[in-house]
Amino acid sequence: MCRLFALTSRDPVSPMRAIDALNVMKEGHDGSGVGLFLSGLGGPWEELKEYPILSGIFTDAGLARMSEYMTKNGFQSKYSATFKPDVEPPVGTPKRGTYASIAFKIPDEWKGMTQAQVDSNLVQMRLDLRAMGEAEGDIMVFSFWPDTIMIKEVGDPMAIAGYLKLDREELYARHILAQGRQNTNYAINLYACHPFFIEGISTMTNGENTAFVPIREYLMSRGVTGYQGYQSDSEVFTHIAHYATKRLGLDISSYKHVITPMNDDEMRDHPDRAFLSDLKRACRKLIIDGPNCVIGCLPDGSMFMAQDRKKLRPGVVGGNPELGIYGFSSEICGLNAAIPDRDRTKDFQPMHLDTAIVGPDCREVLQCSQKDPLRQQL
Amino acid sequence: MLAERPITPATLSRKDLPWQIKWDINTCTKCGRCTSVCPVNAIELGVFRKRDVKPPMGLSAKPTTEFSTFYGIRQRTDPAYACIGCAMCNMVCPNNAIEPSRQYDSTTLQFHNNRGGQPRTRGGRRNSSESLLDQIKFIRISMLTDPALDAGRHEFDVRTLLGRVLSPEAEIKCFRENGWKPPVREIYPLVIGGMSFGALSPNMWEGLQMGVAYLNEEMNMPVRISTGEGGCPPRLLRSRFLKYVILQIASGYFGWDEIIHAIPEMKEDPCAIEIKYGQGAKPGDGGLLMWYKVNKLIAAIRGVPSGVSLPSPPTHQTKYSIEEAVAKMIQSMSMAWGFRVPVYPKISASSTSLAVLNNLVRNPYAAGLAIDGEDGGTGAAYNVSMNHMGHPIASNLRDCYKALCVAGAQNEIPLIAGGGIGKHGNLAANAAALIMLGASMVQVGKYVMQAGAGCLGSEKDRCNVCNIGVCPKGITSQDPRVYRRLDPEKVAERVVDFYLSFDTELRKVIAPLGRSTSLPVGMSDALGISDKDAADRLDIKYVI
């Protein structure tokens, strides 16, 4: 079972804090992989909030092909944080080349575009690069988005952290999602490693998504750029979050109404019953049949955790509002390791009706129950 | 047999008959029940004369001849009275002294069952024992990362939607603007398919309706039943039980007047309206209710004279094209109930099913598509239609579901699959396989008759006399002397029994696959088959 740990903090922190938490939870995973999502970047990236950052792994030839592609599209490199390990990789990890995060300046021709067009074009460029890389095996791209870095690798999280020197200051971030373990149900593939990312939304999941194929087919038929890939059964959770928030315009507290709607009895006395039963009908294809725990981060930096009613052991959310740091962990021991200095009585384990949300200000855990009136005015 | 009987081209011996009566002279008490119950008069009481030559001892006395007479059972060899293997004779025999037995090498009868230039008509189902659905296995058992669900104790939501479901974007827009929403019913995914009041006996129909009402009101299972063509008894139309009924209108419009006239007095809307364009057992052919079954009651309900055959035309008489039919029929039927009732067409599976589906996708009032595969049953059809026409349901349904996926409408138009589900008794497994191939729900008819009322028909040409109103169990007969054999209460009880067991079995299939909160529609990764061509065609895993 995957181990998940997410941190959200007012001040940038080292991703090692999350990796350490994964290491504490190691008993429950096989150390076969690690994935990192970083946003709200600190250090040198503070000044580059507007510039999309391309994160991926490149061979030398791949780096050249990528540069050529970006130049051809009018993009200009502004800053890069590249890392090429000079030591032998840990056991089980292939030697791949350069791990790069490069910020680009958007071409002037894009200035007249709407934000939606720009977003869609950025996704398309990431997909183009991914396709180029899949053909030649020299480029792997995980994200291309402002204020976002993603790192993925096969191997034990702690060993990878040492190998890739993840403690570098240029990787300090306010919002960190970290996941340990590779694909559960399908073949090992770097693209299958959590977290998954699309247009500023990133989620990671543990469990098994048995409704994967119908959901994948449904999402792929929506005609949204970027709804493809699906090397993992969990990638659909990210896209459902994207679909619910960006396409349907719903609030993240409604995400759970989409993936795990209430049954008729629970819905009977709900003040928004009319809307919720319509939503349940229309989004029936997106109902997950877990058990799953989903932790995610939204473009504004809010973080959430939700899970379906089959999940036997819920995740936990806790933190310290004084220090402005909150952790989302699949196990309590991970949270204890990362944020020992907190009031443990205020830890929250969201059960089958709950969504836990921590806003970008990191002041409190907002507990939303599906039985509450909808926060959003429709 | 006569010693000098004429031997003509149509003369058959007992050996030529596929079903032969085995009668035991030693245990028979000659009560005569078997001959009186035989629906086709294949057996008769016979008087047999036996000559015994008795040679005395010695040389002088001459041998004497003695004649004795005894009574027994004789099987007729006239093709018109050939035994149908229903085994009612055995069922009523106190001593098991008589039973039919099948002779597979006796094929001669089939060359003679068209006397008078009339091709054979019969009821039942295609005489083929193959079933692709039975070959499908469920291979994706969830046991690696998480405990499998407990089918007996876990909370399940086994419901499906019948009706046009809006896309999420359209639904939210509609909610914001307070627009018109197509009616949608949340029902149980196993529907009792169209078997008309003319085809079934009143007792059978009453039993089914009682069973359905019980399932709904006592067992909390929203089971629905389609009426088939031919109308609906007026009392049911005006009762609160109408909400459990899908009213069918077919190309003959039989009984439709009665329904239209009852609309102002209806206490409840029907569950849905099914427009039948075709059925799997006789694709491209109309319904066929033969004169034997059109008694006064049926004639009154259908609004026709009694004692005449009632063939429906193969297509809707008033419509020029499928586009027009879909547009006009669906709209006018919807309008009749103020757009509160889902209306959908039923077609036979064929290579043109996709054309119909394409039409429906573009029609905002279309509530679904029922597809009936070649293994569908019927009360009456020509033998050649039943045995040789039609398209298997699995591949046809899969094509339609994949076409919906491409159009992004797989949640919007529910597909209802039928035809050969539970053909060999594996109702839940067959239904689950079709659901995972893309059906939102499945419909069964023949299984209901077999399990609910003890229909004797099989895929080996057993019985199959539904068309001439002599159903030995009283299921498809309109003769009170025959249908009195069927107790409606018992039918209802059996219907409830098999529904509940289906429910348990369905959970036993979907729980190990890790599904419980939504029906696994389109979960094709769960399916495997050991036939490579079938696996490729259905786009499921090939496993050996």
Side-chain angles (χ1 to χ4, degrees):
Chain A
M1 178 85 80
C2 301
R3 290 296 179 262
L4 315 172
F5 192 83
L7 264 181
T8 178
S9 156
R10 277 202 291 271
D11 304 311
V13 292
S14 164
M16 280 311 289
R17 241 170 124 159
I19 301 282
D20 284 335
L22 285 185
N23 202 42
V24 170
M25 301 190 277
K26 185 173 180 176
E27 202 171 302
H29 68 86
D30 59 6
S32 57
V34 63
L36 265 183
F37 159 86
L38 311 169
S39 78
L41 301 172
W45 305 100
E46 292 275 13
E47 308 301 316
L48 302 162
K49 294 275 184 211
E50 304 300 313
Y51 298 95
I53 303 169
L54 184 69
S55 302
I57 312 174
F58 306 87
T59 63
D60 290 344
L63 213 49
R65 286 210 306 146
M66 183 271 291
S67 302
E68 190 187 327
Y69 172 85
M70 297 306 284
T71 313
K72 195 179 82 193
N73 281 284
F75 278 75
Q76 217 180 342
S77 156
K78 289 295 288 182
Y79 177 79
S80 65
T82 58
F83 183 76
K84 191 170 184 178
D86 48 7
V87 293
E88 280 303 303
V91 179
T93 308
K95 206 170 171 69
R96 296 189 198 267
T98 306
Y99 296 76
S101 304
I102 308 164
F104 286 94
K105 181 175 175 293
I106 288 179
D108 293 340
E109 305 89 79
W110 285 33
K111 290 280 193 289
M113 291 181 186
T114 62
Q115 191 56 44
Q117 277 175 312
V118 171
D119 294 355
S120 168
N121 286 353
L122 289 178
V123 174
Q124 189 57 54
M125 286 181 68
R126 171 171 66 81
L127 297 178
D128 290 349
L129 282 167
R130 175 171 167 168
M132 280 165 59
E134 276 170 343
E136 300 289 329
D138 56 355
I139 300 173
M140 303 198 86
V141 184
F142 305 123
S143 62
F144 184 38
W145 198 256
D147 194 24
T148 302
I149 288 177
M150 291 199 81
I151 297 167
K152 295 183 181 185
E153 191 45 280
V154 176
D156 180 72
M158 212 53 187
I160 295 292
Y163 173 59
L164 297 180
K165 298 201 172 30
L166 294 182
D167 208 12
R168 285 174 281 154
E169 201 174 345
E170 58 195 6
L171 296 181
Y172 276 37
R174 291 177 180 85
H175 316 297
I176 300 168
L177 300 184
Q179 184 256 14
R181 198 178 198 284
Q182 249 286 346
N183 218 356
T184 303
N185 294 314
Y186 299 88
I188 286 202
N189 178 318
L190 217 41
Y191 283 120
C193 187
H194 311 230
F196 303 103
F197 178 81
I198 184 166
E199 293 194 17
I201 294 166
S202 182
T203 73
M204 56 187 179
T205 314
N206 69 2
E208 178 181 17
N209 178 13
T210 49
F212 169 53
V213 166
I215 297 179
R216 177 186 68 187
E217 282 172 353
Y218 189 69
L219 286 168
M220 285 170 75
S221 67
R222 297 296 90 195
V224 177
T225 311
Y227 286 3
Q228 62 175 67
Y230 301 119
Q231 247 85 20
S232 163
D233 59 349
S234 302
E235 192 161 3
V236 297
F237 293 110
T238 315
H239 294 177
I240 298 173
H242 177 268
Y243 185 67
T245 53
K246 294 218 167 176
R247 259 313 181 78
L248 303 184
L250 298 174
D251 179 271
I252 193 62
S253 63
S254 303
Y255 179 57
K256 218 168 139 28
H257 288 293
V258 174
I259 57 171
T260 60
M262 288 183 286
N263 62 34
D264 293 347
D265 287 341
E266 290 164 337
M267 214 185 275
R268 189 158 291 133
D269 302 321
H270 199 284
D272 296 302
R273 182 170 167 272
F275 175 73
L276 291 178
S277 60
D278 286 357
L279 189 71
K280 179 179 176 180
R281 244 173 224 176
C283 296
R284 205 176 174 88
K285 280 277 171 185
L286 299 174
I287 295 177
I288 63 168
D289 245 332
N292 294 114
C293 172
V294 185
I295 298 175
C297 184
L298 300 173
D300 68 353
S302 13
M303 234 174 228
F304 66 92
M305 176 192 277
Q307 62 195 20
D308 74 340
R309 63 200 311 146
K310 287 185 197 163
K311 192 76 185 164
L312 291 177
R313 190 167 53 182
V316 60
V317 184
N320 188 331
E322 308 295 322
L323 301 174
I325 187 164
Y326 277 88
F328 294 67
S329 180
S330 59
E331 320 291 315
I332 288 181
C333 61
L335 189 60
N336 288 346
I339 314 176
D341 187 15
R342 70 179 199 282
D343 180 357
R344 293 182 190 198
T345 61
K346 293 202 171 140
D347 285 355
F348 178 53
Q349 291 193 288
M351 300 305 279
H352 71 270
L353 290 168
D354 305 315
T355 305
I357 303 170
V358 175
D361 56 357
C362 300
R363 288 195 188 282
E364 58 171 344
V365 183
L366 188 65
Q367 300 173 13
C368 309
S369 166
Q370 280 180 279
K371 293 205 163 183
D372 296 341
L374 290 177
R375 291 166 64 203
Q376 186 182 16
Q377 202 62 40
L378 284 156
Chain B
M1 303 300 146
L2 296 173
E4 65 291 330
R5 62 177 183 161
I7 298 183
T8 68
T11 307
L12 299 180
S13 68
R14 266 189 60 186
K15 181 74 182 95
D16 294 310
L17 301 173
W19 293 98
Q20 295 182 8
I21 300 294
K22 305 284 181 219
W23 171 66
D24 182 3
I25 189 171
N26 297 315
T27 47
C28 178
T29 56
K30 292 151 185 104
C31 64
R33 288 186 194 176
C34 53
T35 49
S36 64
V37 83
C38 179
V40 290
N41 298 320
I43 45 175
E44 56 190 359
L45 284 171
V47 182
F48 299 88
R49 186 165 172 249
K50 192 173 179 188
R51 176 179 169 230
D52 239 352
V53 179
K54 298 229 163 138
M57 295 294 283
L59 297 171
S60 55
K62 285 187 172 176
T64 55
T65 304
E66 284 179 15
F67 290 91
S68 61
T69 305
F70 67 95
Y71 304 97
I73 302 296
R74 173 182 289 146
Q75 181 176 7
R76 299 165 80 169
T77 53
D78 184 341
Y81 299 99
C83 172
I84 52 172
C86 68
M88 285 301 284
C89 49
N90 178 264
M91 230 176 274
V92 297
C93 179
N95 295 336
N96 280 327
I98 187 167
E99 65 182 16
S101 94
R102 175 95 192 189
Q103 301 290 316
Y104 285 97
D105 58 345
S106 303
T107 57
T108 329
L109 176 67
Q110 61 189 308
F111 302 106
H112 293 279
N113 56 18
N114 50 6
R115 289 176 122 209
Q118 293 289 317
R120 184 183 177 208
T121 52
R122 64 176 179 89
R125 196 153 42 189
R126 199 166 67 110
N127 282 327
S128 157
S129 53
E130 300 157 19
S131 171
L132 181 91
L133 295 177
D134 278 344
Q135 294 175 42
I136 294 177
K137 310 168 208 291
F138 304 101
I139 53 168
R140 192 194 185 286
I141 312 298
S142 174
M143 55 185 3
L144 180 63
T145 58
D146 303 292
L149 299 169
D150 186 329
R153 296 178 188 84
H154 201 274
E155 178 190 338
F156 283 80
D157 189 7
V158 187
R159 297 280 189 275
T160 193
L161 299 179
L162 174 62
R164 182 62 173 246
V165 180
L166 295 178
S167 69
E169 290 92 342
E171 188 74 61
I172 287 178
K173 182 168 181 284
C174 178
F175 189 83
R176 286 200 174 122
E177 296 170 1
N178 206 15
W180 175 76
K181 263 189 312 222
V184 177
R185 311 274 196 244
E186 198 169 320
I187 66 170
Y188 197 75
L190 181 69
V191 175
I192 300 180
M195 294 181 285
S196 74
F197 191 66
L200 297 184
S201 67
N203 282 14
M204 180 66 187
W205 229 70
E206 191 185 347
L208 291 180
Q209 296 291 350
M210 282 197 292
V212 167
Y214 188 89
L215 285 163
N216 274 282
E217 304 196 343
E218 299 295 329
M219 307 310 296
N220 195 26
M221 286 169 77
V223 173
R224 298 293 181 264
I225 178 171
S226 168
T227 59
E229 187 188 23
C232 193
R235 268 182 66 193
L236 180 58
L237 287 172
R238 290 164 177 80
S239 77
R240 66 188 172 84
F241 301 110
L242 188 64
K243 62 186 172 203
Y244 309 138
V245 173
I246 297 169
L247 294 174
Q248 191 186 85
I249 173 175
S251 45
Y253 291 85
F254 291 120
W256 195 245
D257 268 10
E258 188 79 52
I259 294 173
I260 297 291
H261 290 147
I263 288 180
E265 292 156 42
M266 282 182 186
K267 291 188 188 68
E268 298 272 358
D269 286 334
C271 169
I273 307 296
E274 182 176 83
I275 305 169
K276 193 199 81 178
Y277 291 95
Q279 67 186 90
K282 44 188 175 206
D285 212 350
L288 181 62
L289 186 67
M290 299 175 78
W291 65 268
Y292 311 88
K293 289 161 78 172
V294 187
N295 65 7
K296 273 167 85 174
L297 173 67
I298 301 305
I301 286 179
R302 293 197 164 206
V304 292
S306 59
V308 295
S309 289
L310 300 176
S312 294
T315 58
H316 267 273
Q317 308 105 299
T318 51
K319 300 299 175 288
Y320 160 68
S321 68
I322 184 67
E323 287 86 347
E324 189 189 8
V326 164
K328 284 191 184 163
M329 289 282 291
I330 292 180
Q331 195 166 5
S332 55
M333 291 302 144
S334 302
M335 203 143 51
W337 276 273
F339 294 92
R340 299 186 309 272
V341 175
V343 182
Y344 64 91
K346 174 181 175 180
I347 56 166
S348 22
S350 79
S351 54
T352 56
S353 300
L354 278 176
V356 181
L357 185 66
N358 288 339
N359 264 287
L360 297 180
V361 171
R362 282 157 191 78
N363 186 329
Y365 304 112
L369 177 64
I371 309 171
D372 200 11
E374 62 175 348
D375 280 327
T378 178
Y382 286 90
N383 196 42
V384 68
S385 302
M386 236 184 290
N387 281 354
H388 301 285
M389 297 195 66
H391 195 302
I393 183 62
S395 53
N396 204 257
L397 170 82
R398 190 79 181 129
D399 290 348
C400 289
Y401 180 74
K402 295 195 101 177
L404 285 180
C405 286
V406 171
Q410 65 267 49
N411 191 31
E412 297 168 21
I413 300 246
L415 296 173
I416 306 159
I421 299 164
K423 192 173 172 179
H424 295 145
N426 307 317
L427 183 66
N430 291 178
L434 280 170
I435 287 169
M436 288 173 206
L437 288 172
S440 286
M441 64 197 83
V442 295
Q443 57 182 15
V444 284
K446 179 86 180 178
Y447 186 94
V448 177
M449 294 202 282
Q450 290 173 316
C455 163
L456 302 164
S458 79
E459 278 64 55
K460 306 281 189 204
D461 207 2
R462 183 179 170 190
C463 199
N464 290 348
V465 285
C466 336
N467 55 329
I468 49 172
V470 293
C471 170
K473 286 297 194 90
I475 302 167
T476 61
S477 170
Q478 301 297 349
D479 184 342
R481 291 170 301 179
V482 179
Y483 69 66
R484 268 202 304 263
R485 294 173 187 171
L486 199 62
D487 182 350
E489 301 280 350
K490 297 281 180 211
V491 172
E493 201 177 306
R494 288 289 306 136
V495 169
V496 172
D497 282 353
F498 88 72
Y499 255 98
L500 293 180
S501 62
F502 170 84
D503 193 52
T504 303
E505 285 198 349
L506 190 67
R507 288 164 195 226
K508 289 280 178 193
V509 173
I510 64 176
L513 309 182
R515 300 299 297 267
S516 70
T517 51
S518 71
L519 208 60
V521 179
M523 188 185 173
S524 55
D525 57 330
L527 302 179
I529 194 165
S530 60
D531 180 329
K532 180 78 172 76
D533 293 331
D536 291 346
R537 180 71 178 78
L538 298 177
D539 194 15
I540 59 177
K541 285 223 175 66
Y542 170 50
V543 287
I544 45 173

